[in-house]
PDB file of all heavy atoms in Angstrom:
ATOM      1  N   ARG P  10     -11.988 -13.823 -24.206  1.00 95.00           N
ATOM      2  CA  ARG P  10     -11.828 -15.029 -25.033  1.00 95.00           C
ATOM      3  C   ARG P  10     -12.174 -16.293 -24.254  1.00 95.00           C
ATOM      4  O   ARG P  10     -12.582 -17.291 -24.826  1.00 95.00           O
ATOM      5  CB  ARG P  10     -10.379 -15.150 -25.536  1.00 95.00           C
ATOM      6  CG  ARG P  10     -10.053 -14.328 -26.741  1.00 95.00           C
ATOM      7  CD  ARG P  10      -8.668 -14.565 -27.358  1.00 95.00           C
ATOM      8  NE  ARG P  10      -7.601 -15.008 -26.479  1.00 95.00           N
ATOM      9  CZ  ARG P  10      -7.112 -16.257 -26.453  1.00 95.00           C
ATOM     10  NH1 ARG P  10      -7.620 -17.188 -27.226  1.00 95.00           N
ATOM     11  NH2 ARG P  10      -6.115 -16.576 -25.646  1.00 95.00           N
ATOM     12  N   ASN P  12     -14.480 -16.367 -21.948  1.00 95.00           N
ATOM     13  CA  ASN P  12     -15.829 -16.133 -21.412  1.00 95.00           C
ATOM     14  C   ASN P  12     -15.822 -15.820 -19.920  1.00 95.00           C
ATOM     15  O   ASN P  12     -16.703 -16.247 -19.175  1.00 95.00           O
ATOM     16  CB  ASN P  12     -16.754 -17.319 -21.707  1.00 95.00           C
ATOM     17  CG  ASN P  12     -17.029 -17.444 -23.184  1.00 95.00           C
ATOM     18  OD1 ASN P  12     -17.246 -16.434 -23.861  1.00 95.00           O
ATOM     19  ND2 ASN P  12     -17.000 -18.655 -23.693  1.00 95.00           N
ATOM     20  N   THR P  15     -15.080  -9.564 -16.836  1.00 90.00           N
ATOM     21  CA  THR P  15     -14.061  -8.754 -16.179  1.00 90.00           C
ATOM     22  C   THR P  15     -14.675  -7.456 -15.683  1.00 90.00           C
ATOM     23  O   THR P  15     -15.275  -6.722 -16.463  1.00 90.00           O
ATOM     24  CB  THR P  15     -12.914  -8.427 -17.159  1.00 90.00           C
ATOM     25  OG1 THR P  15     -12.442  -9.642 -17.730  1.00 90.00           O
ATOM     26  CG2 THR P  15     -11.785  -7.716 -16.457  1.00 90.00           C
ATOM     27  N   ASP P  23      -5.998   9.714  -1.878  1.00 97.00           N
ATOM     28  CA  ASP P  23      -5.351  11.021  -1.983  1.00 97.00           C
ATOM     29  C   ASP P  23      -3.850  10.782  -2.132  1.00 97.00           C
ATOM     30  O   ASP P  23      -3.236  10.121  -1.295  1.00 97.00           O
ATOM     31  CB  ASP P  23      -5.655  11.832  -0.721  1.00 97.00           C
ATOM     32  CG  ASP P  23      -5.036  13.216  -0.750  1.00 97.00           C
ATOM     33  OD1 ASP P  23      -3.845  13.348  -1.104  1.00 97.00           O
ATOM     34  OD2 ASP P  23      -5.744  14.173  -0.403  1.00 97.00           O
ATOM     35  N   ALA P  32       5.466   7.013   3.999  1.00 85.00           N
ATOM     36  CA  ALA P  32       6.627   7.552   4.713  1.00 85.00           C
ATOM     37  C   ALA P  32       6.626   7.087   6.174  1.00 85.00           C
ATOM     38  O   ALA P  32       7.678   6.724   6.713  1.00 85.00           O
ATOM     39  CB  ALA P  32       6.639   9.072   4.641  1.00 85.00           C
ATOM     40  N   ILE P  35       7.722   3.400   6.131  1.00 79.00           N
ATOM     41  CA  ILE P  35       9.160   3.265   5.884  1.00 79.00           C
ATOM     42  C   ILE P  35       9.951   3.686   7.118  1.00 79.00           C
ATOM     43  O   ILE P  35      10.903   3.013   7.528  1.00 79.00           O
ATOM     44  CB  ILE P  35       9.587   4.072   4.641  1.00 79.00           C
ATOM     45  CG1 ILE P  35       9.006   3.442   3.370  1.00 79.00           C
ATOM     46  CG2 ILE P  35      11.118   4.170   4.549  1.00 79.00           C
ATOM     47  CD1 ILE P  35       9.161   4.304   2.128  1.00 79.00           C
ATOM     48  N   TYR P  52      10.452  10.613   9.054  1.00 78.00           N
ATOM     49  CA  TYR P  52       9.396  10.448   8.052  1.00 78.00           C
ATOM     50  C   TYR P  52       9.113  11.705   7.247  1.00 78.00           C
ATOM     51  O   TYR P  52       8.655  11.612   6.116  1.00 78.00           O
ATOM     52  CB  TYR P  52       8.128   9.857   8.668  1.00 78.00           C
ATOM     53  CG  TYR P  52       7.336  10.802   9.529  1.00 78.00           C
ATOM     54  CD1 TYR P  52       6.353  11.597   8.979  1.00 78.00           C
ATOM     55  CD2 TYR P  52       7.571  10.888  10.885  1.00 78.00           C
ATOM     56  CE1 TYR P  52       5.628  12.458   9.754  1.00 78.00           C
ATOM     57  CE2 TYR P  52       6.852  11.749  11.671  1.00 78.00           C
ATOM     58  CZ  TYR P  52       5.874  12.539  11.105  1.00 78.00           C
ATOM     59  OH  TYR P  52       5.170  13.389  11.864  1.00 78.00           O
ATOM     60  N   ASN P  70      -1.322   8.838 -10.678  1.00 93.00           N
ATOM     61  CA  ASN P  70      -2.030   9.368 -11.844  1.00 93.00           C
ATOM     62  C   ASN P  70      -3.386   8.697 -12.023  1.00 93.00           C
ATOM     63  O   ASN P  70      -3.641   7.999 -13.008  1.00 93.00           O
ATOM     64  CB  ASN P  70      -1.162   9.215 -13.097  1.00 93.00           C
ATOM     65  CG  ASN P  70      -1.651  10.086 -14.212  1.00 93.00           C
ATOM     66  OD1 ASN P  70      -2.767  10.609 -14.179  1.00 93.00           O
ATOM     67  ND2 ASN P  70      -0.824  10.257 -15.223  1.00 93.00           N
ATOM     68  N   GLY P  72      -6.243  10.059 -12.647  1.00 94.00           N
ATOM     69  CA  GLY P  72      -7.003  10.590 -13.778  1.00 94.00           C
ATOM     70  C   GLY P  72      -6.745   9.802 -15.049  1.00 94.00           C
ATOM     71  O   GLY P  72      -7.664   9.456 -15.787  1.00 94.00           O
ATOM     72  N   GLU P  80     -12.171   4.136 -21.372  1.00 95.00           N
ATOM     73  CA  GLU P  80     -11.938   3.806 -22.783  1.00 95.00           C
ATOM     74  C   GLU P  80     -12.069   2.304 -23.036  1.00 95.00           C
ATOM     75  O   GLU P  80     -12.683   1.881 -24.015  1.00 95.00           O
ATOM     76  CB  GLU P  80     -10.550   4.280 -23.208  1.00 95.00           C
ATOM     77  CG  GLU P  80     -10.210   3.930 -24.642  1.00 95.00           C
ATOM     78  CD  GLU P  80      -8.775   4.290 -24.990  1.00 95.00           C
ATOM     79  OE1 GLU P  80      -8.247   5.270 -24.442  1.00 95.00           O
ATOM     80  OE2 GLU P  80      -8.186   3.578 -25.818  1.00 95.00           O
ATOM     81  N   PRO P  84     -18.106   3.556 -19.832  1.00 88.00           N
ATOM     82  CA  PRO P  84     -18.274   4.512 -18.737  1.00 88.00           C
ATOM     83  C   PRO P  84     -18.885   3.923 -17.455  1.00 88.00           C
ATOM     84  O   PRO P  84     -18.712   4.496 -16.386  1.00 88.00           O
ATOM     85  CB  PRO P  84     -19.190   5.581 -19.330  1.00 88.00           C
ATOM     86  CG  PRO P  84     -19.904   4.899 -20.441  1.00 88.00           C
ATOM     87  CD  PRO P  84     -18.967   3.849 -20.973  1.00 88.00           C
ATOM     88  N   ASN P  85     -19.584   2.805 -17.536  1.00 88.00           N
ATOM     89  CA  ASN P  85     -20.296   2.300 -16.355  1.00 88.00           C
ATOM     90  C   ASN P  85     -19.961   0.853 -16.013  1.00 88.00           C
ATOM     91  O   ASN P  85     -20.751   0.187 -15.344  1.00 88.00           O
ATOM     92  CB  ASN P  85     -21.808   2.449 -16.560  1.00 88.00           C
ATOM     93  CG  ASN P  85     -22.207   3.884 -16.790  1.00 88.00           C
ATOM     94  OD1 ASN P  85     -21.791   4.776 -16.064  1.00 88.00           O
ATOM     95  ND2 ASN P  85     -22.996   4.131 -17.825  1.00 88.00           N
ATOM     96  N   ALA P 107     -21.158  -5.124  -7.822  1.00 93.00           N
ATOM     97  CA  ALA P 107     -20.460  -5.024  -9.112  1.00 93.00           C
ATOM     98  C   ALA P 107     -19.770  -6.333  -9.482  1.00 93.00           C
ATOM     99  O   ALA P 107     -19.714  -6.699 -10.651  1.00 93.00           O
ATOM    100  CB  ALA P 107     -19.440  -3.884  -9.068  1.00 93.00           C
ATOM    101  N   GLY P 109     -20.675  -9.329  -8.374  1.00 92.00           N
ATOM    102  CA  GLY P 109     -21.577 -10.464  -8.301  1.00 92.00           C
ATOM    103  C   GLY P 109     -21.359 -11.328  -7.065  1.00 92.00           C
ATOM    104  O   GLY P 109     -21.577 -12.534  -7.109  1.00 92.00           O
ATOM    105  N   TYR P 112     -22.997  -9.877  -0.255  1.00 94.00           N
ATOM    106  CA  TYR P 112     -22.449  -8.971   0.752  1.00 94.00           C
ATOM    107  C   TYR P 112     -22.510  -9.631   2.121  1.00 94.00           C
ATOM    108  O   TYR P 112     -23.529 -10.201   2.505  1.00 94.00           O
ATOM    109  CB  TYR P 112     -23.220  -7.645   0.770  1.00 94.00           C
ATOM    110  CG  TYR P 112     -22.815  -6.763   1.918  1.00 94.00           C
ATOM    111  CD1 TYR P 112     -21.586  -6.115   1.913  1.00 94.00           C
ATOM    112  CD2 TYR P 112     -23.646  -6.596   3.024  1.00 94.00           C
ATOM    113  CE1 TYR P 112     -21.194  -5.319   2.972  1.00 94.00           C
ATOM    114  CE2 TYR P 112     -23.257  -5.797   4.083  1.00 94.00           C
ATOM    115  CZ  TYR P 112     -22.033  -5.165   4.054  1.00 94.00           C
ATOM    116  OH  TYR P 112     -21.648  -4.387   5.109  1.00 94.00           O
ATOM    117  N   ALA P 118     -15.564  -0.917  12.664  1.00 87.00           N
ATOM    118  CA  ALA P 118     -14.973  -0.256  13.826  1.00 87.00           C
ATOM    119  C   ALA P 118     -13.689  -0.959  14.278  1.00 87.00           C
ATOM    120  O   ALA P 118     -12.856  -0.363  14.953  1.00 87.00           O
ATOM    121  CB  ALA P 118     -15.976  -0.208  14.971  1.00 87.00           C
ATOM    122  N   VAL P 121      -7.690  -3.286  11.776  1.00 82.00           N
ATOM    123  CA  VAL P 121      -6.665  -4.315  11.754  1.00 82.00           C
ATOM    124  C   VAL P 121      -5.416  -3.715  11.112  1.00 82.00           C
ATOM    125  O   VAL P 121      -5.487  -3.104  10.045  1.00 82.00           O
ATOM    126  CB  VAL P 121      -7.146  -5.555  10.963  1.00 82.00           C
ATOM    127  CG1 VAL P 121      -6.063  -6.602  10.878  1.00 82.00           C
ATOM    128  CG2 VAL P 121      -8.425  -6.108  11.580  1.00 82.00           C
ATOM    129  N   PRO P 123      -3.428  -1.059  11.916  1.00 75.00           N
ATOM    130  CA  PRO P 123      -3.483   0.390  11.654  1.00 75.00           C
ATOM    131  C   PRO P 123      -2.083   0.970  11.483  1.00 75.00           C
ATOM    132  O   PRO P 123      -1.105   0.443  12.022  1.00 75.00           O
ATOM    133  CB  PRO P 123      -4.158   0.953  12.899  1.00 75.00           C
ATOM    134  CG  PRO P 123      -3.861  -0.038  13.967  1.00 75.00           C
ATOM    135  CD  PRO P 123      -3.796  -1.378  13.281  1.00 75.00           C
ATOM    136  N   SER P 124      -1.997   2.035  10.730  1.00 69.00           N
ATOM    137  CA  SER P 124      -0.719   2.720  10.544  1.00 69.00           C
ATOM    138  C   SER P 124      -0.266   3.330  11.857  1.00 69.00           C
ATOM    139  O   SER P 124      -1.091   3.772  12.651  1.00 69.00           O
ATOM    140  CB  SER P 124      -0.857   3.849   9.520  1.00 69.00           C
ATOM    141  OG  SER P 124      -1.101   3.335   8.244  1.00 69.00           O
ATOM    142  N   LYS P 128       4.234  12.299  14.285  1.00 69.00           N
ATOM    143  CA  LYS P 128       3.974  13.736  14.332  1.00 69.00           C
ATOM    144  C   LYS P 128       3.455  14.187  12.965  1.00 69.00           C
ATOM    145  O   LYS P 128       3.680  13.532  11.950  1.00 69.00           O
ATOM    146  CB  LYS P 128       5.213  14.493  14.742  1.00 69.00           C
ATOM    147  CG  LYS P 128       6.330  14.445  13.721  1.00 69.00           C
ATOM    148  CD  LYS P 128       7.514  15.267  14.152  1.00 69.00           C
ATOM    149  CE  LYS P 128       8.540  15.250  13.023  1.00 69.00           C
ATOM    150  NZ  LYS P 128       9.575  16.202  13.171  1.00 69.00           N
ATOM    151  N   LEU P 130       3.105  16.366   9.556  1.00 88.00           N
ATOM    152  CA  LEU P 130       4.004  17.052   8.625  1.00 88.00           C
ATOM    153  C   LEU P 130       3.783  18.550   8.763  1.00 88.00           C
ATOM    154  O   LEU P 130       2.690  19.005   9.115  1.00 88.00           O
ATOM    155  CB  LEU P 130       3.699  16.625   7.192  1.00 88.00           C
ATOM    156  CG  LEU P 130       3.959  15.170   6.840  1.00 88.00           C
ATOM    157  CD1 LEU P 130       3.362  14.841   5.482  1.00 88.00           C
ATOM    158  CD2 LEU P 130       5.449  14.874   6.850  1.00 88.00           C
ATOM    159  N   PHE P 161     -13.607  13.931  -0.229  1.00 97.00           N
ATOM    160  CA  PHE P 161     -12.859  12.737   0.134  1.00 97.00           C
ATOM    161  C   PHE P 161     -11.368  13.004   0.325  1.00 97.00           C
ATOM    162  O   PHE P 161     -10.695  12.265   1.040  1.00 97.00           O
ATOM    163  CB  PHE P 161     -13.068  11.633  -0.906  1.00 97.00           C
ATOM    164  CG  PHE P 161     -14.494  11.175  -0.975  1.00 97.00           C
ATOM    165  CD1 PHE P 161     -15.243  11.369  -2.122  1.00 97.00           C
ATOM    166  CD2 PHE P 161     -15.103  10.576   0.113  1.00 97.00           C
ATOM    167  CE1 PHE P 161     -16.568  10.949  -2.184  1.00 97.00           C
ATOM    168  CE2 PHE P 161     -16.420  10.159   0.072  1.00 97.00           C
ATOM    169  CZ  PHE P 161     -17.160  10.346  -1.082  1.00 97.00           C
ATOM    170  N   TRP P 162     -10.850  14.030  -0.328  1.00 96.00           N
ATOM    171  CA  TRP P 162      -9.436  14.363  -0.242  1.00 96.00           C
ATOM    172  C   TRP P 162      -9.285  15.811   0.249  1.00 96.00           C
ATOM    173  O   TRP P 162      -8.971  16.720  -0.526  1.00 96.00           O
ATOM    174  CB  TRP P 162      -8.767  14.198  -1.595  1.00 96.00           C
ATOM    175  CG  TRP P 162      -8.739  12.791  -2.126  1.00 96.00           C
ATOM    176  CD1 TRP P 162      -9.094  11.651  -1.460  1.00 96.00           C
ATOM    177  CD2 TRP P 162      -8.310  12.380  -3.418  1.00 96.00           C
ATOM    178  NE1 TRP P 162      -8.919  10.553  -2.259  1.00 96.00           N
ATOM    179  CE2 TRP P 162      -8.431  10.974  -3.480  1.00 96.00           C
ATOM    180  CE3 TRP P 162      -7.836  13.055  -4.526  1.00 96.00           C
ATOM    181  CZ2 TRP P 162      -8.095  10.241  -4.602  1.00 96.00           C
ATOM    182  CZ3 TRP P 162      -7.499  12.324  -5.649  1.00 96.00           C
ATOM    183  CH2 TRP P 162      -7.624  10.938  -5.687  1.00 96.00           C
TER     184      TRP P 162
END
Side-chain angles (χ1 to χ4, degrees):
R10 278 187 331 106
N12 293 318
T15 307
D23 181 314
I35 291 170
Y52 74 89
N70 197 346
E80 178 186 328
N85 301 312
Y112 172 73
V121 177
S124 292
K128 67 177 184 167
L130 295 169
F161 296 115
W162 295 351

